[in-house]
Amino acid sequence: MDNRQAIGSWISGPRATAEDMGVDFGYRGERLGLPEQGPGSIARFGRRLAALCIDWALCMLIAYGLLSGGKAQAASNWALVVFGVLSLLTVGTVGFTPGKRLLGLRVVAEGGGRVSLPRVVLRTLLLVVVIPAVIWDRDGRGLHDRLARSVEVRI
């Protein structure tokens, strides 16, 4: 192995190196019984991030306009509370937030169907903490989804 290949494998990570060695991980969501593409497949990171940005902007607007009295610092704190309430109410009832709906995403239970209220509460609390949301498994699910036994799919 020349040095360029060794550096490339280090930069691209252990998954790419294992795939180069012939290990087949399958596609994202295969272990969960989800299709590879189209409706019902696992939502990609870019689409989930864009939905989060839309939801956060909406929460900031609500917090700034209604709760903070026009103070930017207070609006940031209130936005987190509004985000938690928005997530609890919308994911718990219809399965998506406004941003997710605009981008064609939905949160479902691992086996399909709606996520139960206790799981939605757990998912929302972990999402508000942020750290679990930036730790992913090989299917691309955040730790908050994995612990709540939910998955974000395309509609």
Side-chain angles (χ1 to χ4, degrees), residues 30-121:
E30 184 175 19
R31 295 181 310 152
L32 301 170
L34 300 173
E36 185 173 2
Q37 297 176 352
S41 64
I42 287 191
R44 298 285 182 201
F45 174 74
R47 199 177 270 202
R48 291 189 334 238
L49 182 62
L52 178 67
C53 290
I54 291 168
D55 291 335
W56 186 253
L58 178 64
C59 292
M60 282 294 289
L61 185 65
I62 291 169
Y64 186 78
L66 299 176
L67 302 171
S68 71
K71 297 177 185 171
Q73 179 63 33
S76 296
N77 296 334
W78 278 109
L80 193 58
V81 173
V82 172
F83 180 78
V85 170
L86 176 78
S87 183
L88 276 173
L89 292 177
T90 58
V91 173
T93 57
V94 293
F96 47 77
T97 62
K100 289 180 188 0
R101 180 65 185 134
L102 284 173
L103 295 175
L105 304 176
R106 175 172 290 208
V107 179
V108 297
E110 278 182 352
R114 290 181 46 189
V115 182
S116 66
L117 187 59
R119 289 186 188 174
V120 171
V121 170

Side-chain angles (χ1 to χ4, degrees), residues 45 48-49 52 83 87 91 100 107-108 110 115 118-137 140-152:
F45 174 74
R48 291 189 334 238
L49 182 62
L52 178 67
F83 180 78
S87 183
V91 173
K100 289 180 188 0
V107 179
V108 297
E110 278 182 352
V115 182
R119 289 186 188 174
V120 171
V121 170
L122 175 64
R123 183 183 188 277
T124 301
L125 289 175
L126 292 172
L127 189 58
V128 168
V129 174
V130 176
I131 299 299
V134 296
I135 300 171
W136 303 319
D137 65 5
R141 293 187 310 160
L143 186 59
H144 65 294
D145 276 329
R146 189 170 174 96
L147 292 175
R149 295 192 314 191
S150 62
V151 61
E152 202 165 330

Side-chain angles (χ1 to χ4, degrees), residues 12-20 23 25-28 137-139:
S12 49
R15 181 181 176 121
T17 303
E19 287 174 344
D20 288 344
V23 177
F25 288 107
Y27 61 87
R28 294 180 192 268
D137 65 5
R138 76 178 196 198
D139 288 319

